[in-house]
Amino acid sequence: MTRFDAAEPAERRKLYVDAITAHRERGSGFLTLEADPAGLEADTDADVVADTELETGNGSDDEEAELGAPWIQFGDGTVNVDCTEDELDALKAVLEEFPAFKIDELIRPEEAEGVNVRVSAKADPNRIAQFVDTVFLEVYDLPSTGRVWAVEI
């Protein structure tokens, strides 16, 4: 691979396909794709502060800052994501658009907020790329021109 980020929809999907291909050729355990937090902050800072104030009764958004940028891992035919309960609902709606993808496992660790979701992704790289992009856009609210990085292959 010669590039590791993309911001336009078609280029992001090409990045995902290239990353999946490189991952498979290298025989690595998994690949990790991460949304650029700068693209998310511009659209969500006001919402995050407002939501945090409503939920906690104060203006601290430390919890949101600790969560970091949304990421998606892929390996051995499985897509792995961490999400909130609301994001899990959005993920389930996305899965309705991709009938070949199914939730294999939900893990709710006691020591952490949220849910780790493992989705079987027995599909070709192009279909996996479409799914990944849709998850970034509809589950994690990445803007349509948001940048995604291939951070580990």
Side-chain angles (χ1 to χ4, degrees):
M1 274 187 58
T2 58
R3 64 189 178 87
F4 296 95
D5 71 308
E8 296 300 318
E11 289 299 311
R12 278 195 312 267
R13 287 187 297 276
K14 184 172 178 354
L15 173 70
Y16 307 148
V17 169
D18 290 347
I20 291 165
T21 301
H23 153 74
R24 287 178 172 166
E25 287 174 355
R26 294 175 184 182
S28 63
F30 59 89
L31 72 91
T32 303
L33 302 162
E34 186 175 294
D36 190 330
L40 295 169
E41 291 171 7
D43 288 345
T44 61
D45 274 348
D47 293 338
V48 167
V49 171
D51 289 347
T52 303
E53 287 173 355
L54 287 173
E55 291 172 12
T56 64
N58 64 38
S60 171
D61 60 348
D62 291 340
E63 261 183 51
E64 291 290 335
E66 288 176 20
L67 294 177
W71 55 265
I72 297 174
Q73 287 185 324
F74 173 78
D76 196 28
T78 300
V79 174
N80 183 30
V81 299
D82 281 344
C83 55
T84 65
E85 291 294 335
D86 288 341
E87 290 167 340
L88 177 58
D89 291 339
L91 179 61
K92 288 177 179 177
V94 166
L95 287 166
E96 291 177 12
E97 301 171 34
F98 293 85
F101 294 73
K102 305 230 181 309
I103 293 177
D104 281 342
E105 188 174 15
L106 295 174
I107 302 168
R108 291 181 168 89
E110 290 182 24
E111 67 278 357
E113 291 292 320
V115 182
N116 178 261
V117 184
R118 297 192 182 163
V119 177
S120 65
K122 309 293 189 218
D124 66 86
N126 287 315
R127 191 67 173 151
I128 296 169
Q130 292 169 354
F131 176 75
V132 166
D133 205 47
T134 303
V135 170
F136 274 124
L137 295 171
E138 295 183 21
V139 175
Y140 294 130
D141 294 324
L142 182 73
S144 64
T145 57
R147 183 169 307 281
V148 174
W149 291 86
V151 295
E152 189 168 344
I153 297 178

